[in-house]
């Protein structure tokens, strides 16, 4: 499957490869005159700016032609004309004129900002970005995501409106295009753009896009159906005309000024109805309908009364969409009437504003804006409220200025839509990072992710993703989640997966430590850690089960984690195990070491001793009171639930703990070659003066150590000051070197390692 981001330009907007001479007679269509009539709602200054945009676009597209042979500029002019029909503001009209200029003519955004200002440049830029997206996946479920992504990327509803006008004009002028291109564009229009038009309530465009797509996707079926419709309409023309006249007269007699329009269903909607309800063409009854447009909301109900007196209503077919509007803001009264000739005809009754909203949706806001920017007060729901339900804006918006503000911000403020390398679309919360993306794909991908590429470029894992990004995760089998990711992930899923992993990791370390500790305690009893667990058969399984009943743990693993984290004391567990063995009369030699081996074992670097190499995670901590470093004599204290805490042998805090609780002491020793540096605290008394810190820092770095923290104390500056440094050193010898270097510094009066 090809990536959704097209290479240079979308085919429907690109001019034909070979420039053709302009056919005669296109000069008028290619000139600004084609647009001026439609711009009378703008003021003179705005029209001047629009004209400048036209000149700019005309120059940029000079020498380019459409597939039809017309000068390329006719297309932007036509798109701007459609937008002018909605009375969009000058910025939107200018953007419509220049919408293909960046992509096709190498115009830069900076250039547009300088000449036309940032807002217009943003609109053009937004349109250019949408142009690069091509919906290529066949998956139905992806279409909705793609539509949302388009809306999210637009950021401004005017971008979508210009884009829809662009698409409509392209659909109207596809005849000169190659058939396979037409089919692809028609499919995309039907799946993506028509539903967006529908969602925004632009029903007129929605119907036309569907109709044109249908025509290009199924030309034969379209041809046959439209022929049938023409015929059927011919038969019924008389009836329809008679009904229209009768209705108009009845409304006039009741002093209700109204316009009555005949309404024809589109070929596509007839086809859809036939397919969905399994009907033949002859069975589709409502080829015709009427719209009655009145001045005010109460008149809608008055007109309904008049119609129900004129003809017999069909029971069960009346719907009040004025009292209960449809989700996209649609309002009307619907009723189906049977005339004296026995034909059932649907009537839709609405006000002018309701009609505008029904036909033009979101665009109706501009069309029917009065001087103060408020929709006509005929009882129609305020556009602002309607928009709220339309695009799920959370808080109430009441006035028109606020409404306009909402149109200019994100349509989906909380979500972004990104692609996998295989063109699958994922929705993520705004601010999501490649790590969130990785976990959204699969927790294994998240756990093993090491780096990421966005749109082919390597990026940091904390980079915020944006809609339309193509994200690729680089993973390695040995990689593990990093606790630092918790600082920037946005999704709950990523957060909980990382936490889960870290918790497991801690449990794994505690289990290992628990095994060591219990093993050692058992050796002191002349026993060895029995194999198996509570699930095992035979005496081993029974022994574990008895031990777990006593300890209150569910599994061997859980008991050992408890021992490792200090919640249970190894020597007590070992004693209990010895007692159980005696009680059950289990043969000691099955489970114990011989006395000789036990003694020999004790002389070896004891197996129960915990070796500190700096690689341990959260289970083993170096006490913050004395900050032991390799070379110090150390002792281990098994804190309750906090794992093993390592103190220096002379630490006063450690000694107090020892006196209180001798059971909890564990033998610890340093590894021969610790894996990292260790932090320890040093106090430095200095002459207070300029450049003191620099001297201290230089001395430390000359001894090849690092300062990781400096505390200057809170006392007021006197002649001398005490600095507290945290130094990162390899071992005791290294620390001695650093202290010597510090003492040599002129400003330093006294240096000492901090002891509690
Ligand atoms: Mn275009």
């Amino acid at each position: 499957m090809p990536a959704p981001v097209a290479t240079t330009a979308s085919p429907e907007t690109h001019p034909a490869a070979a420039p053709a001479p302009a056919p005669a007679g296109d000069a008028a269509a290619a000139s600004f005159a084609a647009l001026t009539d439609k711009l009378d709602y703008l003021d003179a200054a705005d029209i001047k700016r629009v004209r400048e945009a036209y000149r700019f676009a005309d120059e940029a597209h000079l020498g380019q032609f459409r597939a039809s042979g017309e000068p390329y500029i006719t297309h932007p002019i036509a798109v701007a004309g459609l937008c002018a029909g909605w009375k969009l503001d000058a910025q939107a009209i200018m953007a419509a004129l220049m919408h293909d200029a960046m992509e096709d003519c190498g115009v830069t955004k900076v250039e547009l900002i300088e000449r036309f200002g940032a807002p217009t440049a943003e609109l053009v830029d937004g349109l250019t970005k949408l142009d690069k997206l091509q919906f290529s996946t066949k998956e139905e479920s992806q279409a909705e995501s793609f539509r949302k992504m388009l809306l999210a990327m637009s950021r401004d509803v005017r971008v979508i409106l210009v884009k829809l006008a662009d698409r409509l004009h392209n659909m109207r002028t596809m005849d000169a295009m190659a058939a396979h291109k037409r089919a692809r564009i028609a499919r995309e229009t039907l799946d993506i753009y028509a539903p967006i038009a529908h969602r925004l309530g632009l029903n007129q465009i929605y119907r036309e896009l569907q109709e044109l797509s249908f025509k290009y996707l199924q030309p034969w079926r379209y041809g046959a159906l439209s022929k049938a419709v023409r015929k059927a309409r011919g038969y019924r023309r008389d009836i329809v005309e008679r009904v229209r006249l009768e209705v108009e007269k009845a409304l006039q007699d009741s002093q209700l000024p109204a316009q009555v329009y005949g309404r024809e269903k589109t070929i596509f909607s007839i086809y859809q109805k036939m397919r969905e309800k399994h009907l033949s063409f002859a069975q589709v009854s409502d080829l015709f309908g009427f719209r009655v447009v009145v001045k005010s909301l109460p008149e809608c109900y008055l007109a309904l009364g008049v119609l129900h007196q004129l003809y017999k209503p069909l029971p069960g077919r009346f719907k009040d969409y004025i009292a209960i509007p449809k989700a996209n803001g649609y309002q009307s009264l619907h009723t189906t009437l049977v005339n004296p000739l026995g034909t059932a005809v649907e009537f839709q009754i609405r006000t002018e504003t309701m009609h505008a909203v029904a036909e033009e949706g979101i665009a109706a806001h501009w069309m029917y804006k009065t001087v103060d920017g408020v929709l006509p007060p005929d009882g129609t729901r305020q556009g602002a409220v309607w928009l709220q339900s339309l695009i799920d804006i959370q808080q109430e918006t009441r006035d028109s200025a606020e409404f306009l503000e909402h149109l200019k911000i994100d349509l989906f403020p909380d979500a972004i839509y990104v692609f996998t390398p295989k063109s699958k679309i994922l929705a993520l919360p705004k601010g999501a990072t490649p790590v969130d993306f990785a976990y959204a794909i699969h927790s294994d991908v998240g756990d093993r992710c090491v780096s990421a590429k966005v749109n082919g470029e390597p990026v940091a894992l904390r980079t915020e993703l944006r809609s339309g990004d193509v994200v690729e995760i680089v993973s390695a089998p040995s990689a593990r989640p990093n606790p630092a990711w918790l600082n920037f992930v946005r999704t709950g899923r990523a957060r909980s997966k990382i936490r889960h992993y870290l918790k497991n990791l801690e449990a794994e370390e505690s289990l290992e430590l628990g095994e060591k500790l219990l093993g050692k305690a058992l050796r002191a009893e002349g026993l060895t850690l029995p194999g198996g667990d509570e699930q095992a058969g035979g005496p081993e399984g029974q022994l574990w089960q008895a031990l777990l009943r006593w300890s209150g743990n569910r599994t061997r693993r859980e008991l050992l984690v408890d021992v490792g984290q200090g919640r249970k004391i190894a020597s007590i567990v070992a004693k209990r195990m010895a007692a159980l063995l005696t009680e059950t009369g289990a043969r000691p030699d099955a489970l114990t070491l011989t006395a000789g081996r036990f003694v020999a074992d004790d002389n070896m670097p004891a197996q129960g001793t915990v070796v500190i190499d700096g690689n341990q995670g959260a289970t083993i901590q170096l006490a913050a009171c004395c900050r032991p470093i390799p070379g110090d004599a150390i002792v281990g204290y098994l804190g309750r639930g906090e794992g093993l805490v390592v103190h220096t042998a002379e630490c006063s805090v450690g000694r107090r703990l020892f006196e209180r609780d001798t059971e909890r002491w564990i033998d610890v020793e340093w590894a021969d070659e610790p894996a990292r540096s260790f932090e320890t605290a040093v106090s430095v008394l200095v002459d207070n003066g300029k450049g003191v810190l620099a001297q201290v820092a230089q001395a430390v770095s000359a001894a090849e150590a690092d300062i990781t923290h400096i505390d200057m104390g809170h006392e007021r500056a006197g002649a001398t000051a005490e600095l507290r440094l945290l130094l990162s050193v390899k071992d005791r010898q290294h620390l001695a070197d650093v202290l010597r270097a510090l003492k040599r510094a002129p400003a330093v009066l006294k240096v000492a390692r901090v002891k509690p």
Side-chain angles (χ1 to χ4, degrees):
M1 214 181 299
V5 177
T7 45
T8 50
S10 77
E12 80 261 33
T13 60
H14 212 63
D26 277 349
S31 78
F32 191 63
L35 198 57
T36 35
D37 289 352
K38 298 172 185 150
L39 295 176
D40 52 5
Y41 64 96
L42 293 177
D43 62 29
D46 275 347
I47 292 180
K48 189 165 165 273
R49 287 163 64 217
V50 172
R51 187 189 295 274
E52 276 163 27
Y54 159 76
R55 286 214 188 95
F56 183 82
D58 190 31
E59 209 164 291
H61 290 295
L62 201 68
Q64 293 180 342
F65 298 89
R66 307 199 80 211
S68 61
E70 293 167 297
Y72 194 83
I73 190 69
T74 55
H75 165 64
I77 287 176
V79 174
L82 287 166
C83 295
W86 293 321
K87 300 194 170 29
L88 294 193
D89 58 15
Q91 290 171 357
I93 304 291
M94 290 160 74
L97 284 167
M98 300 186 287
H99 78 271
D100 283 330
M102 273 174 90
E103 193 63 31
D104 296 350
C105 314
V107 171
T108 66
K109 190 172 171 184
V110 175
E111 204 175 341
L112 288 177
I113 293 175
E114 280 168 2
R115 293 193 58 164
F116 301 104
T120 303
E122 282 301 333
L123 294 177
V124 177
D125 191 43
L127 284 158
T128 306
K129 283 192 183 123
L130 289 196
D131 238 18
K132 288 187 189 168
L133 285 174
Q134 266 188 40
F135 184 65
S136 56
T137 162
K138 295 262 183 297
E139 273 178 72
E140 181 59 32
S141 62
Q142 293 280 289
E144 177 59 22
S145 300
F146 194 86
R147 290 194 287 269
K148 283 185 180 161
M149 177 165 65
L150 268 181
L151 292 174
M153 280 182 70
S154 306
R155 303 180 68 89
D156 184 325
V157 79
R158 292 175 298 173
V159 170
I160 283 287
L161 291 173
V162 177
K163 182 68 198 168
L164 287 171
D166 177 34
R167 180 52 63 115
L168 182 61
H169 185 248
N170 283 323
M171 288 295 293
R172 282 176 180 174
T173 54
M174 275 211 300
D175 282 330
M177 210 174 262
H180 72 278
K181 269 189 182 174
R182 283 202 304 240
R184 188 193 68 71
I185 295 167
R187 169 56 48 200
E188 189 181 72
T189 301
L190 199 58
D191 287 347
I192 306 299
Y193 290 97
I196 287 177
H198 186 52
R199 175 153 190 204
L200 298 177
L202 296 127
N203 286 312
Q204 208 174 323
I205 278 216
Y206 165 62
R207 286 194 296 264
E208 189 176 346
L209 287 177
Q210 278 187 332
E211 193 80 340
L212 289 167
S213 301
F214 182 51
K215 183 177 138 192
Y216 285 114
L217 284 171
Q218 309 202 36
W220 182 84
R221 194 163 269 160
Y222 177 84
L225 265 178
S226 42
K227 214 169 165 186
V229 168
R230 268 199 307 275
K231 234 172 158 182
R233 279 181 187 147
Y235 292 144
R236 295 185 208 179
R237 186 164 296 143
D238 294 346
I239 308 171
V240 170
E241 190 54 22
R242 191 178 139 186
V243 168
R244 195 177 68 79
L245 288 172
E246 282 179 6
V247 167
E248 270 182 352
K249 183 165 183 302
L251 289 168
Q252 257 166 31
D253 291 349
S254 311
Q255 324 283 309
L256 271 174
Q259 286 164 293
V260 182
Y261 306 101
R263 178 181 69 91
E264 295 188 350
K265 271 185 116 82
T266 62
I267 309 290
F268 181 73
S269 66
I270 293 167
Y271 168 66
Q272 245 183 341
K273 191 160 190 177
M274 287 167 62
R275 212 181 43 174
E276 276 166 19
K277 302 201 169 158
H278 305 286
L279 302 173
S280 71
F281 178 73
Q283 288 172 300
V284 179
S285 58
D286 53 347
L287 292 179
F288 283 103
F290 282 98
R291 285 208 181 102
V292 178
V293 178
V294 295
K295 292 261 180 277
S296 70
L297 187 144
E299 284 176 13
C300 291
Y301 292 96
L302 291 176
L304 180 76
V306 170
L307 288 175
H308 280 198
Q309 273 175 358
L310 183 64
Y311 301 134
K312 203 170 140 55
L314 213 60
R317 295 293 291 274
F318 171 68
K319 291 193 187 84
D320 188 346
Y321 291 120
I322 291 180
I324 303 165
K326 288 189 183 176
N328 66 2
Y330 177 87
Q331 286 184 294
S332 277
L333 299 176
H334 288 193
T335 187
T336 302
L337 306 175
V338 185
N339 63 38
L341 295 169
T343 324
V345 181
E346 192 192 58
F347 282 79
Q348 300 173 346
I349 307 166
R350 49 175 78 146
T351 66
E352 277 167 26
T353 312
M354 289 175 197
H355 185 60
V357 170
E359 292 297 291
E360 312 293 347
I362 210 164
H365 177 79
W366 283 277
M367 291 177 73
Y368 280 76
K369 210 163 58 174
T370 54
V371 186
D372 55 351
V374 180
L375 286 165
D378 62 356
T380 311
R381 298 170 80 214
Q382 283 281 305
V385 182
W386 165 62
L387 184 73
Q388 183 195 337
S389 69
L390 195 67
I391 61 177
D392 305 321
I393 288 173
Q394 295 303 309
Q395 82 269 46
E396 283 263 328
T397 54
R398 288 198 178 81
D399 66 273
S400 188
E402 216 181 320
F403 170 83
L404 276 172
E405 259 329 289
H406 279 305
L407 298 185
K408 287 172 186 169
I409 58 166
D410 292 1
L411 290 161
F412 291 95
D414 302 325
I416 58 159
Y417 299 86
V418 294
F419 290 105
T420 69
K422 287 182 177 168
S423 301
K424 197 170 176 291
I425 301 167
L426 290 182
L428 293 168
K430 181 160 266 182
T433 63
V435 175
D436 294 291
F437 176 89
Y439 277 104
I441 290 178
H442 196 278
S443 49
D444 276 353
V445 179
D447 284 349
R448 314 242 171 283
C449 99
V450 283
S451 64
K453 284 182 183 170
V454 169
N455 304 325
E457 296 291 323
V459 297
L461 285 176
R462 61 183 319 134
T463 310
E464 279 194 16
L465 299 175
R466 286 169 311 181
S467 275
D469 281 347
V470 179
V471 188
E472 193 182 333
I473 297 297
V474 182
S475 60
S478 60
R480 305 194 318 189
N482 185 337
W485 293 350
L486 289 171
N487 297 327
F488 59 75
V489 293
R490 286 294 161 91
T491 53
R493 180 181 165 83
R495 193 173 299 280
S496 76
K497 293 280 175 195
I498 296 167
R499 287 221 175 100
H500 180 76
Y501 181 90
L502 293 174
K503 217 171 159 188
N504 269 352
L505 187 69
E506 215 173 285
E508 219 47 58
E509 282 177 359
S510 301
L511 175 69
E512 221 171 280
L513 180 60
E515 269 171 356
K516 267 184 196 161
L517 297 176
L518 187 59
K520 188 195 173 196
L522 283 168
R523 267 197 307 286
E525 303 291 329
L527 300 166
T528 187
L529 190 64
D533 57 19
E534 70 282 355
Q535 308 279 343
E540 280 175 353
Q542 285 164 16
L543 176 64
W544 279 113
Q545 284 161 20
L547 193 65
L548 292 175
R549 271 197 298 282
W550 165 81
S551 75
N553 292 102
R554 280 169 302 143
T555 61
R556 167 190 183 271
R557 185 190 159 87
E558 192 186 284
L559 170 62
L560 290 175
V561 169
D562 270 3
V563 170
Q565 291 180 348
R567 279 191 290 268
K568 298 216 160 57
I569 305 296
S571 58
I572 296 174
V573 176
K575 285 198 167 72
R576 183 67 197 172
M577 191 177 268
L580 282 169
L581 282 168
T582 317
E583 273 173 33
T584 57
R587 286 171 55 80
D589 50 296
L591 293 160
T592 61
L593 294 168
T594 63
R597 274 175 68 196
F598 173 60
V599 171
D601 225 37
D602 206 34
N603 287 339
M604 288 162 59
Q607 230 179 326
T609 301
V610 177
V611 177
I612 311 293
D613 65 359
N615 263 337
Q616 289 84 2
T619 333
I620 298 176
Q621 301 169 43
L622 301 173
C625 48
C626 53
R627 297 188 184 277
I629 54 175
D632 288 337
I634 45 176
V635 291
Y637 177 76
L638 200 54
R640 289 164 212 266
E642 59 200 320
L644 188 61
V645 184
V646 178
H647 293 268
T648 61
E650 53 185 16
C651 173
S652 57
V653 176
R655 243 184 254 150
R656 261 203 311 282
L657 288 168
F658 180 76
E659 282 157 19
R660 226 170 44 198
D661 212 349
T662 48
E663 285 284 11
R664 291 182 170 267
W665 289 91
I666 310 292
D667 286 348
V668 286
E669 64 184 37
W670 294 104
D672 288 343
E673 284 182 11
R676 59 170 174 96
S677 305
F678 294 82
E679 268 181 3
T680 196
V682 167
S683 144
V684 186
L685 190 69
V686 292
D687 263 333
N688 218 348
K690 251 189 175 170
V692 173
L693 271 182
Q695 279 185 33
V696 169
Q698 209 211 327
V700 171
S701 103
E704 290 175 355
D706 289 317
I707 299 174
T708 56
H709 182 81
I710 290 189
D711 189 356
M712 317 266 274
H714 300 292
E715 296 145 56
R716 292 180 52 195
T720 62
E722 193 201 345
L723 304 178
R724 287 215 162 202
L725 311 182
L726 277 187
L727 298 176
S728 174
V729 295
K730 286 199 277 291
D731 53 22
R732 222 174 140 86
Q733 182 57 50
H734 189 195
L735 176 64
D737 295 345
V738 178
L739 296 183
R740 254 198 313 279
L742 276 169
K743 267 177 203 153
R744 279 200 298 269
V748 173
L749 305 173
K750 211 170 113 189
V751 184
R753 184 172 175 188
V754 175
K755 288 172 190 164

